[in-house]
Amino acid sequence: MPKNSKVTQREHSSEHVTESVADLLALEEPVDYKQSILNVAGETGSKQKAADEELGAEDRPAWNSKLQYILAQIGFSVGLGNIWRFPYLCQKNGGGAYLVPYLVLLIIIGIPLFFLELAVGQRIRRGSIGVWHYVCPRLGGIGFSSCIVCLFVGLYYNVIIGWSIFYFFKSFQYPLPWSECPVIRNGTVAVVEAECEKSSATTYFWYREALDISNSISESGGLNWKMTLCLLVAWSIVGMAVVKGIQSSGKVMYFSSLFPYVVLACFLVRGLLLRGAVDGILHMFTPKLDKMLDPQVWREAATQVFFALGLGFGGVIAFSSYNKQDNNCHFDAALVSFINFFTSVLATLVVFAVLGFKANIMNEKCVVENAEKILGYLHTNVLSRDLIPPHVNFSHLTAKDYTEMYKVIRAVKEDRFASLGLDPCLLEDELDKGTGLAFIAFTEAMTHFPASPFWSVMFFLMLINLGLGSMIGTMAGITTPIIDTFKVPKEMFTVGCCVFAFFVGLLFVQRSGNYFVTMFDDYSATLPLTVIVILENIAVAWIYGTKKFMQELTEMLGFRPYRFYFYMWKFVSPLCMAVLTTASIIQLGVTPPGYSAWIKEEAAERYLYFPDWAMALLITLIVVATLPIPVVFILRHFHLLSDGSNTLSVSYKKGRMMKDISNLEENDETRFILSKVPSEAPSPMPTHRSYLGPGSTSPLETGGNPNGRYGSSYLLAGTPESEL
């Protein structure tokens, strides 16, 4: 301790010494935190609380290695959406043209906000509730809304894992059970199931054997016991993976994150060797430029970016909060974003290669069936043989020959052509039918593979692992902030969450459950998620301050991030998200929410609007997910809920000083954090900041303090200075 310090003067003099916080912090020597507690209010209870919270921060679990952390982030961000939703949107929205809005939005919204979430989580080392309480106490409701959205997504996402488990176990048989329509025998008469005959074997298996789906959302139909058991297995797997936090989930990630790439690589090689694979890939990359100007395409691309990177869920923040402070999260953001996009493109190549193979098979089948019709018309003299080009050989009829013959017949028999019932059998039409669901289109394609059970087992095992990785991150988005904030027992709370989610998830394994999955996926989670991401951006860029945040990133990373991020956070990203949110709300107003229902009697899909009670449920879910934001804002604005104001806790640790400042007046804060040399100024954001939960009391009481705002009743327990 310097001899001229005011603390030393106080110990060796009976005169009263007036001390300031800045003087204390500038002159005190760092000592072992465990041997020293500084209480700025003179309350013994607060001293012990500060010690406990600081010790808790130091004992926070950490990743075993950088690789484990990167795999966890990849496992969370790369999920079922990359493998199936992205190829579906690519095909639906103009092939290669869809990649343009997706890439643009990934660069101006996705990567900057992904970097932002990684940075705040790593810097503050808390879950989403603690992070946004720190950044802006009045917007602390963002963290609670993130937890609710994670719950909504986890409820239906694990149902999809349950579907994959069902198909996985059904794949251990040859031929695959969805390769042929079931035959109903009535004595000596065998009849193909009518619903299957009208649709297809894979479609029938999905809707009838797997889901046993009802005709509408209003027809519950009771529980589907097969899917109920699969859901129980899915939640059991997730529970075992996350029960110990990152100690257990981190080890799972080594397999769940890497195995899907092994399967994708195998499928890509196998797919490229299939006949017709090139046709599918060319169809994918053939852009429909008119789609690039469609606002709906941009809105769907933005939603895909949010879901692909896991923005707004809290999982990204939770995982990064277990990092060391000097971790290069900027590199992590770029790496994970690139791997995410690469995985989406790789999966799209695989899907379209396989679907190109399927389209060729279906096109050949169409040619054979329609050639038989033409031969029948020739035999009955409905058509003249003069209409058949001389080079056409019906025993070796190619798609090109059939197309030429079709055009001639259509031109000559223009008046009666419709009555002939001939199909054009165009490959483009087969490819344009869409990728549909993973449980229909891809499963049908695999029935034509040699050793189809093997490929089916691999495919659905891949889906299970992809879903598991995403569910681990989703559960972290729920458990980490709650455990950090309310200090509940980790194992007990995690198990309780899984049990609760299983019972609530029974809603999705009714016969009408698939329609509720559509409601949650397309509506109840998407709009709140967009609002959360916008407010996260505003909280950091406009309330906390972009310049201040950039300076803290410079101190944490050791280099200044690109100026690009400043402009994205400050202007471009919030503006783009505001426009997209407005477009989404307008779209909901113009087109009432609905779902595709499977009508058993017609063996076909029909688009139905949600009934009034379902609309009320949908609106309620959206309100519940966003309600914490205005509630917390109002409570803290009117001082009905503590926001940690007027709180200053200072703790020492050997070799490093950690400070907590929150809501000091501007002059006090400047004096507190600035040293004589600007480059030596400590960061306003502490290395470890103890989160003050709702209802916590401030250790600083200004009303009864005779010695100024902060007081001077310092308690130095067991410090070297106290022994002078």
Side-chain angles (χ1 to χ4, degrees):
M1 170 71 67
K3 294 183 178 180
N4 60 348
S5 74
K6 293 184 179 181
V7 173
T8 306
Q9 294 175 22
R10 180 186 64 189
E11 296 292 337
H12 293 277
S13 173
S14 60
E15 297 181 4
H16 175 74
V17 180
T18 302
E19 300 177 54
S20 68
V21 175
D23 292 331
L24 175 69
L25 296 177
L27 298 176
E28 291 290 309
E29 292 181 359
V31 296
D32 188 1
Y33 139 77
K34 294 181 179 179
Q35 299 296 323
S36 175
I37 299 295
L38 177 62
N39 186 340
V40 191
E43 297 181 7
T44 307
S46 297
K47 175 182 72 174
Q48 184 61 41
K49 180 180 179 181
D52 293 342
E53 289 182 342
E54 183 59 37
L55 184 60
E58 288 302 305
D59 290 342
R60 187 173 184 81
W63 299 103
N64 292 335
S65 65
K66 180 65 174 282
L67 175 62
Q68 189 181 76
Y69 163 68
I70 292 296
L71 289 178
Q73 289 287 14
I74 292 173
F76 176 48
S77 64
V78 176
L80 298 174
N82 300 76
I83 302 300
W84 204 255
R85 184 175 175 84
F86 185 90
Y88 165 71
L89 292 174
C90 188
Q91 188 275 338
K92 174 188 174 184
N93 295 317
Y98 174 73
L99 296 178
V100 175
Y102 183 84
L103 271 175
V104 170
L105 293 174
L106 179 66
I107 292 172
I108 67 175
I109 295 179
I111 296 177
L113 295 183
F114 188 60
F115 178 32
L116 183 148
E117 290 198 358
L118 289 177
V120 295
Q122 178 175 311
R123 185 65 165 166
I124 302 173
R125 304 199 74 195
R126 288 293 181 270
S128 56
I129 295 177
V131 161
W132 300 116
H133 170 84
Y134 178 89
V135 172
C136 177
R138 291 184 180 180
L139 290 181
I142 295 175
F144 291 98
S145 289
S146 293
C147 291
I148 295 174
V149 171
C150 276
L151 176 62
F152 287 173
V153 172
L155 288 174
Y156 76 81
Y157 203 89
N158 224 20
V159 174
I160 302 176
I161 298 178
W163 296 344
S164 302
I165 292 172
F166 176 79
Y167 270 81
F168 173 74
F169 285 110
K170 287 290 185 179
S171 298
F172 289 94
Q173 50 187 300
Y174 184 83
L176 292 172
W178 53 82
S179 60
E180 296 178 352
C181 284
V183 176
I184 301 176
R185 297 190 178 276
N186 185 7
T188 58
V189 180
V191 181
V192 176
E193 172 64 47
E195 186 180 3
C196 183
E197 189 175 23
K198 292 178 182 178
S199 54
S200 68
T202 50
T203 303
Y204 173 83
F205 187 87
W206 165 244
Y207 283 118
R208 192 54 52 210
E209 295 293 334
L211 300 181
D212 193 18
I213 200 166
S214 61
N215 284 359
S216 72
I217 194 172
S218 300
E219 302 175 21
S220 170
L223 290 177
N224 180 340
W225 67 269
K226 292 178 289 187
M227 286 305 168
T228 302
L229 290 177
C230 291
L231 181 63
L232 178 61
V233 173
W235 275 113
S236 299
I237 294 173
V238 171
M240 289 187 290
V242 301
V243 67
K244 294 291 185 181
I246 63 171
Q247 285 84 0
S248 57
S249 62
K251 296 178 176 63
V252 174
M253 286 298 182
Y254 283 109
F255 181 77
S256 65
S257 297
L258 294 176
F259 177 74
Y261 289 95
V262 176
V263 178
L264 277 178
C266 294
F267 265 101
L268 180 62
V269 174
R270 185 69 186 91
L272 292 176
L273 296 177
L274 294 171
R275 178 171 49 87
V278 175
D279 295 324
I281 294 174
L282 289 177
H283 180 78
M284 165 196 164
F285 284 108
T286 302
K288 298 176 183 177
L289 300 180
D290 59 310
K291 290 285 189 178
M292 291 176 57
L293 303 178
D294 187 350
Q296 177 71 10
V297 174
W298 287 81
R299 187 176 68 86
E300 291 186 347
T303 302
Q304 177 62 18
V305 168
F306 292 161
F307 276 91
L309 292 176
L311 300 176
F313 288 98
V316 173
I317 293 175
F319 281 160
S320 64
S321 71
Y322 299 114
N323 266 334
K324 296 180 180 178
Q325 287 266 317
D326 59 353
N327 175 64
N328 188 350
C329 58
H330 177 263
F331 171 78
D332 300 341
L335 177 64
V336 175
S337 299
F338 170 77
I339 293 176
N340 189 289
F341 178 70
F342 169 77
T343 305
S344 297
V345 174
L346 177 62
T348 304
L349 287 173
V350 171
V351 169
F352 276 87
V354 173
L355 293 179
F357 165 69
K358 171 181 171 286
N360 272 269
I361 290 180
M362 300 306 294
N363 190 59
E364 290 176 359
K365 182 179 179 181
C366 177
V367 168
V368 171
E369 290 176 352
N370 283 271
E372 291 177 353
K373 289 183 181 180
I374 294 175
L375 283 174
Y377 293 143
L378 291 175
H379 292 153
T380 57
N381 296 322
V382 174
L383 294 177
S384 172
R385 292 188 179 273
D386 296 336
L387 299 178
I388 309 303
H391 64 277
V392 171
N393 183 356
F394 278 91
S395 60
H396 297 87
L397 188 64
T398 64
K400 182 179 179 181
D401 291 340
Y402 173 78
T403 301
E404 182 180 353
M405 186 169 53
Y406 175 86
K407 290 179 179 178
V408 172
I409 296 174
R410 182 173 183 177
V412 174
K413 297 289 185 179
E414 184 175 356
D415 297 337
R416 294 188 301 153
F417 180 77
S419 63
L420 298 177
L422 297 178
D423 298 317
C425 296
L426 297 176
L427 183 63
E428 290 76 12
D429 292 342
E430 290 292 338
L431 291 169
D432 282 335
K433 286 183 179 178
T435 55
L437 291 166
F439 303 98
I440 296 179
F442 210 89
T443 53
E444 183 175 352
M446 285 188 295
T447 60
H448 302 289
F449 281 19
S452 55
F454 168 79
W455 294 104
S456 183
V457 168
M458 295 288 285
F459 176 70
F460 288 109
L461 185 58
M462 177 185 70
L463 293 187
I464 293 170
N465 278 274
L466 286 170
L468 178 60
S470 296
M471 275 302 300
I472 289 174
T474 302
M475 289 297 295
I478 300 173
T479 58
T480 297
I482 298 297
I483 292 171
D484 286 346
T485 305
F486 301 105
K487 309 302 179 185
V488 296
K490 181 191 301 180
E491 290 82 1
M492 185 181 299
F493 179 70
T494 302
V495 173
C497 281
C498 292
V499 173
F500 171 78
F502 167 72
F503 283 107
V504 177
L506 295 178
L507 173 71
F508 303 98
V509 291
Q510 303 175 92
R511 292 182 59 201
S512 60
N514 188 49
Y515 306 137
F516 287 97
V517 171
T518 301
M519 177 190 292
F520 275 68
D521 186 28
D522 292 349
Y523 302 104
S524 64
T526 302
L527 188 58
L529 185 66
T530 308
V531 173
I532 288 170
V533 175
I534 292 175
L535 291 178
E536 286 182 353
N537 198 158
I538 292 174
V540 172
W542 288 92
I543 299 177
Y544 192 81
T546 310
K547 291 182 179 179
K548 183 178 179 182
F549 186 59
M550 290 287 283
Q551 178 60 32
E552 295 187 2
L553 288 181
T554 303
E555 296 171 3
M556 182 173 72
L557 300 175
F559 63 89
R560 188 172 185 84
Y562 297 118
R563 194 74 177 173
F564 163 81
Y565 292 106
F566 177 90
Y567 294 109
M568 292 299 106
W569 290 331
K570 190 77 172 179
F571 305 109
V572 179
S573 295
L575 178 61
C576 290
M577 288 187 293
V579 171
L580 291 168
T581 303
T582 304
S584 299
I585 295 174
I586 293 174
Q587 180 70 22
L588 285 176
V590 173
T591 306
Y595 60 100
S596 293
W598 178 258
I599 310 301
K600 180 178 180 179
E601 293 74 20
E602 300 174 4
E605 290 183 342
R606 184 194 301 172
Y607 189 82
L608 301 177
Y609 295 116
F610 285 117
D612 293 341
W613 66 267
M615 282 297 301
L617 175 61
L618 191 155
I619 294 172
T620 301
L621 292 171
I622 294 175
V623 171
V624 167
T626 54
L627 189 62
I629 298 173
V631 168
V632 171
F633 182 89
I634 293 171
L635 291 177
R636 284 179 174 161
H637 180 76
F638 292 102
H639 307 293
L640 301 175
L641 182 67
S642 171
D643 63 356
S645 298
N646 300 325
T647 299
L648 172 64
S649 64
V650 181
S651 57
Y652 293 107
K653 183 178 180 182
K654 186 175 182 179
R656 180 161 58 95
M657 183 179 296
M658 293 168 289
K659 299 173 288 298
D660 179 359
I661 59 172
S662 59
N663 301 318
L664 297 178
E665 293 179 359
E666 183 176 357
N667 293 337
D668 294 325
E669 181 180 356
T670 304
R671 187 169 179 233
F672 182 72
I673 66 174
L674 294 179
S675 60
K676 295 180 181 180
V677 182
S679 62
E680 297 176 357
S683 169
M685 187 182 290
T687 305
H688 297 285
R689 185 180 192 274
S690 300
Y691 168 63
L692 297 175
S696 60
T697 58
S698 170
L700 181 63
E701 299 294 336
T702 59
N705 234 327
N707 299 312
R709 180 178 178 187
Y710 303 113
S712 58
S713 53
Y714 302 105
L715 287 180
L716 300 177
T719 64
E721 290 77 18
S722 65
E723 298 173 0
L724 293 177

